[in-house]
Amino acid sequence: MNIFLDIFLVALVIYFIFAISRTMRLSKKSVSLIEKYENDKFNPQLIDEIFAAISDDVLLKRILKRHNATRRDISKLHAKLMKWGDFRKYNRYVPITSFFNVTALEYLLEHRNDDAKSLTEKMMNHFHF
Protein backbone atom coordinates (compact mmCIF):
# COMPACT_ATOMS: atom_id res chain seq x y z
CA MET A 1 0.00 0.00 0.00
CA ASN A 2 2.83 2.40 0.86
CA ILE A 3 4.55 1.74 -2.47
CA PHE A 4 1.34 2.59 -4.33
CA LEU A 5 1.00 5.86 -2.41
CA ASP A 6 4.66 6.70 -3.05
CA ILE A 7 4.26 6.08 -6.79
CA PHE A 8 1.07 8.14 -6.79
CA LEU A 9 2.80 11.00 -4.99
CA VAL A 10 5.74 10.97 -7.41
CA ALA A 11 3.37 10.93 -10.39
CA LEU A 12 1.41 13.82 -8.92
CA VAL A 13 4.59 15.86 -8.37
CA ILE A 14 5.75 15.17 -11.94
CA TYR A 15 2.36 16.24 -13.31
CA PHE A 16 2.43 19.40 -11.18
CA ILE A 17 5.92 20.31 -12.40
CA PHE A 18 4.87 19.72 -16.03
CA ALA A 19 1.74 21.85 -15.64
CA ILE A 20 3.54 24.72 -13.92
CA SER A 21 6.37 24.76 -16.47
CA ARG A 22 3.86 24.72 -19.35
CA THR A 23 1.91 27.58 -17.82
CA MET A 24 5.04 29.63 -17.19
CA ARG A 25 6.29 29.00 -20.75
CA LEU A 26 2.99 30.16 -22.27
CA SER A 27 2.84 33.19 -19.99
CA LYS A 28 6.39 34.15 -20.88
CA LYS A 29 5.64 33.81 -24.60
CA SER A 30 2.45 35.86 -24.27
CA VAL A 31 4.19 38.67 -22.40
CA SER A 32 7.09 38.70 -24.85
CA LEU A 33 4.66 39.04 -27.78
CA ILE A 34 2.80 41.83 -26.01
CA GLU A 35 6.03 43.74 -25.45
CA LYS A 36 7.45 43.02 -28.90
CA TYR A 37 4.35 44.17 -30.80
CA GLU A 38 3.17 46.88 -28.42
CA ASN A 39 3.78 49.59 -31.02
CA ASP A 40 3.14 47.41 -34.09
CA LYS A 41 -0.16 45.71 -33.27
CA PHE A 42 -1.24 45.00 -36.84
CA ASN A 43 1.98 43.34 -37.98
CA PRO A 44 1.09 40.07 -39.79
CA GLN A 45 4.12 38.43 -38.21
CA LEU A 46 2.33 38.65 -34.85
CA ILE A 47 -0.35 36.25 -36.11
CA ASP A 48 2.35 33.88 -37.37
CA GLU A 49 4.05 33.88 -33.97
CA ILE A 50 0.77 33.37 -32.09
CA PHE A 51 -0.20 30.49 -34.37
CA ALA A 52 3.25 28.90 -34.09
CA ALA A 53 3.23 29.18 -30.30
CA ILE A 54 -0.21 27.65 -29.85
CA SER A 55 0.60 24.95 -32.41
CA ASP A 56 3.63 23.95 -30.33
CA ASP A 57 1.66 23.56 -27.10
CA VAL A 58 0.17 20.15 -26.33
CA LEU A 59 -3.23 21.29 -25.07
CA LEU A 60 -3.73 24.26 -27.38
CA LYS A 61 -2.80 22.20 -30.43
CA ARG A 62 -5.61 19.74 -29.57
CA ILE A 63 -8.09 22.60 -29.54
CA LEU A 64 -6.84 23.84 -32.92
CA LYS A 65 -7.24 20.36 -34.40
CA ARG A 66 -10.67 19.82 -32.85
CA HIS A 67 -11.98 23.01 -34.45
CA ASN A 68 -9.92 22.70 -37.66
CA ALA A 69 -8.56 26.17 -36.95
CA THR A 70 -6.11 27.76 -39.35
CA ARG A 71 -3.87 30.79 -39.28
CA ARG A 72 -6.68 32.67 -41.05
CA ASP A 73 -9.11 31.90 -38.21
CA ILE A 74 -6.61 33.22 -35.67
CA SER A 75 -6.14 36.33 -37.80
CA LYS A 76 -9.90 36.99 -37.99
CA LEU A 77 -10.33 36.47 -34.27
CA HIS A 78 -7.39 38.76 -33.55
CA ALA A 79 -8.95 41.48 -35.71
CA LYS A 80 -12.26 41.13 -33.87
CA LEU A 81 -10.54 41.37 -30.49
CA MET A 82 -8.53 44.40 -31.63
CA LYS A 83 -11.71 46.29 -32.50
CA TRP A 84 -12.99 46.51 -28.89
CA GLY A 85 -10.15 45.24 -26.69
CA ASP A 86 -7.11 47.21 -27.79
CA PHE A 87 -5.73 48.05 -24.36
CA ARG A 88 -3.29 46.54 -21.93
CA LYS A 89 -3.68 45.80 -18.25
CA TYR A 90 -0.38 44.78 -16.66
CA ASN A 91 0.77 41.68 -18.55
CA ARG A 92 -2.61 41.02 -20.11
CA TYR A 93 -3.67 42.22 -23.52
CA VAL A 94 -6.91 40.68 -24.78
CA PRO A 95 -5.99 40.31 -28.49
CA ILE A 96 -2.90 38.27 -27.58
CA THR A 97 -3.47 36.72 -24.16
CA SER A 98 -6.78 35.16 -25.25
CA PHE A 99 -5.01 32.70 -27.53
CA PHE A 100 -2.73 31.35 -24.80
CA ASN A 101 -5.46 30.15 -22.44
CA VAL A 102 -7.19 26.80 -23.00
CA THR A 103 -10.72 27.87 -22.07
CA ALA A 104 -10.43 31.22 -23.84
CA LEU A 105 -9.14 29.66 -27.06
CA GLU A 106 -11.84 27.01 -26.92
CA TYR A 107 -14.52 29.68 -26.55
CA LEU A 108 -13.09 31.84 -29.34
CA LEU A 109 -13.00 28.98 -31.80
CA GLU A 110 -16.47 27.73 -30.88
CA HIS A 111 -17.88 31.23 -31.34
CA ARG A 112 -15.64 32.45 -34.16
CA ASN A 113 -18.64 33.75 -36.11
CA ASP A 114 -19.99 35.90 -33.26
CA ASP A 115 -19.70 39.67 -33.39
CA ALA A 116 -16.54 41.40 -32.21
CA LYS A 117 -18.10 43.12 -29.21
CA SER A 118 -19.53 39.98 -27.60
CA LEU A 119 -16.28 38.05 -28.09
CA THR A 120 -14.23 40.86 -26.60
CA GLU A 121 -16.58 41.28 -23.64
CA LYS A 122 -16.38 37.55 -22.90
CA MET A 123 -12.56 37.65 -23.01
CA MET A 124 -12.43 40.78 -20.86
CA ASN A 125 -14.65 39.07 -18.27
CA HIS A 126 -12.51 35.95 -18.46
CA PHE A 127 -9.34 37.90 -17.73
CA HIS A 128 -11.01 40.21 -15.16
CA PHE A 129 -10.62 43.51 -17.01
Side-chain angles (χ1 to χ4, degrees):
M1 184 69 166
N2 285 340
I3 293 173
F4 175 74
L5 290 176
D6 291 343
I7 292 171
F8 179 72
L9 180 63
V10 168
L12 192 62
V13 168
I14 290 171
Y15 175 77
F16 177 77
I17 291 170
F18 170 75
I20 291 296
S21 66
R22 180 191 158 276
T23 302
M24 295 301 289
R25 186 174 7 97
L26 287 175
S27 178
K28 184 178 177 183
K29 181 64 177 178
S30 174
V31 171
S32 72
L33 288 176
I34 291 168
E35 291 173 355
K36 182 177 179 180
Y37 293 101
E38 188 170 18
N39 297 319
D40 194 14
K41 299 173 184 173
F42 294 99
N43 189 334
Q45 193 174 21
L46 170 62
I47 304 302
D48 292 334
E49 289 191 44
I50 290 173
F51 191 74
I54 61 179
S55 295
D56 288 341
D57 183 66
V58 174
L59 299 177
L60 298 176
K61 182 172 34 175
R62 287 183 194 164
I63 295 170
L64 288 177
K65 285 183 181 179
R66 186 177 323 127
H67 293 283
N68 297 319
T70 62
R71 183 198 175 284
R72 187 172 183 212
D73 294 326
I74 300 301
S75 179
K76 287 181 180 180
L77 288 168
H78 181 264
K80 286 183 178 184
L81 294 173
M82 284 294 293
K83 186 174 182 180
W84 291 94
D86 185 18
F87 52 90
R88 182 177 178 176
K89 181 179 179 183
Y90 306 113
N91 286 334
R92 287 177 277 161
Y93 179 63
V94 171
I96 294 176
T97 309
S98 300
F99 297 105
F100 290 92
N101 182 285
V102 173
T103 54
L105 182 62
E106 181 81 37
Y107 182 85
L108 286 173
L109 291 174
E110 282 178 4
H111 300 275
R112 67 180 97 181
N113 296 323
D114 289 3
D115 65 301
K117 187 174 183 181
S118 67
L119 283 176
T120 306
E121 285 177 349
K122 181 70 175 181
M123 293 301 106
M124 289 172 66
N125 288 336
H126 182 81
F127 293 110
H128 306 288
F129 272 78

